[in-house]
Amino acid sequence: MEGRQHFVRRDFPPIPSVLLLLFGAILVLNAILYVCINTFHVSSGRGETEPGLCPLGYFRLGSVRNCSPWLSCQAINREVRKLKRVGEGAVKKVFLSEWKENKVVLSQLTNPELKEDFLHGLKMLKALQSKHVVRLLGYCEQEFTILTEYHPLGSLRSLNETLHIPKYKGMNTWHRRLMLAIDYVSIIRYLHSSPLGTLVMCDSNDLDKVLSQYLLTSDFHILVNDLDALPLVNRSSGRLVKCGHRELQGEFVAPEQRWPYGEEVPFEDDLMPPYDEKTDIWKIPDVSNFFLGHVEGSDVVRLHLFDIHAACKRKDPTERPSAQEVLDTYRKVLTLLIREAATPGTREML
């Protein structure tokens, strides 16, 4: 008898339309989240490579597509025109200038006694060119001159004022502020694992000083601008650092940066123990607290960051997380909060 195959037909109950809507909404939200996070990591300055970055020794400015070599002493003297002085510190005086109809920044040595600091900053600027660092356009060592890209929003000290300008009020959200904090931690991570080795951001004895070291770009990202005080840590050779030769005080600096022998013993630089890059980690919560501000949702962000910030504030530097661990946590919190922000929209569809 010839075998026959028997197909049994089963009738499945119809899938409710509400579940189809829910499933579709989840797919759409996941797609949006995937695009947002990938855009965040790749095109918003978090990656270590940038397709449009010029080779070392070259720069691209404005709408020009081709890379130009760093300007020499002769080119700077001939082609750059000072417009006005916009700042002055212990090491440099800064001029808003013009080069081929582009606004640029010309920095010149203020105090000849600090020329080593100036030249160290130039060396760091040349070696660390990346999307984390202000763009170098040229320099003249003989005349102690550095030419860099101009960013009209200035340093991070004026962040809150900028966010109250009508044009930028739309940026004053927990999401954008958290992204700025992520930019900041990304820069610290980059310095701690730089091509030169582990570098410590020493110009950071108070919040105002920290904020003055960074620039806010027109598309609301952060660049480190001042690299004059960036010593190298090398644990394998026992090389640690000290940020200057004066006594540091206050809760902003890390415990190991403070004089450990009490008020009864006068401060002596030779007796001050050196330390490592974990001093930068101690300061992250205070800097991030400034970035988060007091907008709607910022307290929720702080709550999610509480544990990692508590770890950053451990008295023993060896117990603090690395900049990479802090950065990973910040990114996870951003992903989580974006997902949570999308959830109410899904509920409304049901």
Side-chain angles (χ1 to χ4, degrees):
M1 183 177 178
E2 185 179 353
R4 294 181 181 178
Q5 289 181 326
H6 298 275
F7 296 93
V8 180
R9 178 178 176 180
R10 291 183 175 88
D11 293 322
F12 294 94
I15 300 174
S17 58
V18 68
L19 290 180
L20 290 174
L21 277 174
L22 177 59
F23 182 70
I26 291 172
L27 288 178
V28 170
L29 288 173
N30 283 338
I32 293 172
L33 184 61
Y34 178 84
V35 171
C36 287
I37 297 303
N38 275 276
T39 302
F40 169 75
H41 285 299
V42 176
S43 65
S44 297
R46 275 71 179 178
E48 297 303 330
T49 60
E50 182 179 355
L53 201 64
C54 292
L56 188 64
Y58 291 78
F59 70 92
R60 182 188 292 112
L61 194 62
S63 59
V64 178
R65 291 188 175 183
N66 296 328
C67 294
S68 303
W70 286 337
L71 301 184
S72 63
C73 296
Q74 184 180 8
I76 291 174
N77 290 329
R78 184 179 64 247
E79 301 172 13
V80 176
R81 181 170 65 93
K82 290 180 183 178
L83 299 178
K84 63 177 180 179
R85 188 159 70 178
V86 292
E88 182 170 349
V91 178
K92 299 186 293 287
K93 49 189 174 184
V94 181
F95 297 88
L96 175 63
S97 304
E98 191 175 56
W99 176 73
K100 294 186 176 180
E101 299 183 350
N102 292 291
K103 294 286 195 331
V104 294
V105 174
L106 187 71
S107 302
Q108 294 181 317
L109 179 64
T110 300
N111 184 351
E113 294 180 1
L114 298 176
K115 64 181 181 181
E116 293 303 321
D117 291 337
F118 183 93
L119 293 175
H120 176 75
L122 173 58
K123 176 184 175 182
M124 295 294 104
L125 195 56
K126 290 192 291 184
L128 299 175
Q129 282 295 289
S130 68
K131 60 174 57 188
H132 300 294
V133 179
V134 70
R135 189 170 300 166
L136 179 64
L137 309 180
Y139 63 92
C140 180
E141 285 193 36
Q142 299 93 311
E143 299 177 10
F144 299 99
T145 299
I146 300 173
L147 193 70
T148 54
E149 188 175 17
Y150 172 63
H151 293 278
L153 295 183
S155 80
L156 288 177
R157 284 190 294 190
S158 58
L159 173 63
N160 288 324
E161 290 80 0
T162 298
L163 288 170
H164 283 95
I165 298 173
K167 179 180 179 181
Y168 299 111
K169 279 189 175 180
M171 295 288 194
N172 196 16
T173 64
W174 70 262
H175 176 260
R176 179 59 64 175
R177 283 176 170 272
L178 178 55
M179 289 178 69
L180 290 176
I182 290 174
D183 268 357
Y184 169 72
V185 178
S186 296
I187 293 171
I188 298 299
R189 190 278 310 269
Y190 175 67
L191 295 178
H192 288 184
S193 57
S194 81
L196 301 177
T198 301
L199 300 167
V200 182
M201 194 66 176
C202 265
D203 262 343
S204 56
N205 298 334
D206 57 64
L207 179 61
D208 191 65
K209 187 64 175 175
V210 170
L211 299 176
S212 71
Q213 310 301 303
Y214 298 87
L215 295 172
L216 181 65
T217 67
S218 297
D219 60 349
F220 267 70
H221 291 294
I222 297 175
L223 299 172
V224 62
N225 180 52
D226 196 331
L227 303 173
D228 295 343
L230 211 61
L232 179 69
V233 168
N234 190 333
R235 284 195 189 83
S236 60
S237 64
R239 180 178 180 178
L240 300 176
V241 304
K242 288 192 287 187
C243 291
H245 304 287
R246 298 179 182 178
E247 183 177 1
L248 301 179
Q249 296 177 327
E251 292 299 313
F252 188 82
V253 296
E256 64 271 24
Q257 292 184 280
R258 302 172 209 153
W259 180 242
Y261 304 117
E263 295 181 0
E264 62 277 6
V265 180
F267 176 81
E268 287 188 41
D269 183 44
D270 291 340
L271 298 179
M272 180 66 198
Y275 34 84
D276 62 18
E277 78 280 3
K278 289 301 183 72
T279 58
D280 289 334
I281 304 300
W282 171 274
K283 298 161 189 174
I284 286 175
D286 298 299
V287 180
S288 289
N289 187 54
F290 167 80
F291 285 131
L292 293 175
H294 300 284
V295 298
E296 182 181 356
S298 62
D299 287 341
V300 176
V301 179
R302 286 185 179 90
L303 184 63
H304 281 82
L305 296 177
F306 180 85
D307 288 342
I308 191 68
H309 282 173
C312 291
K313 289 294 187 179
R314 287 173 182 153
K315 188 171 182 180
D316 184 348
T318 63
E319 295 181 357
R320 294 175 206 152
S322 66
Q324 182 65 63
E325 290 170 321
V326 179
L327 180 59
D328 290 342
T329 302
Y330 274 40
R331 286 174 171 169
K332 288 176 183 176
V333 168
L334 176 64
T335 303
L336 174 65
L337 292 177
I338 289 176
R339 185 181 294 125
E340 288 182 352
T343 303
T346 305
R347 291 197 186 104
E348 289 172 6
M349 294 180 66
L350 300 179

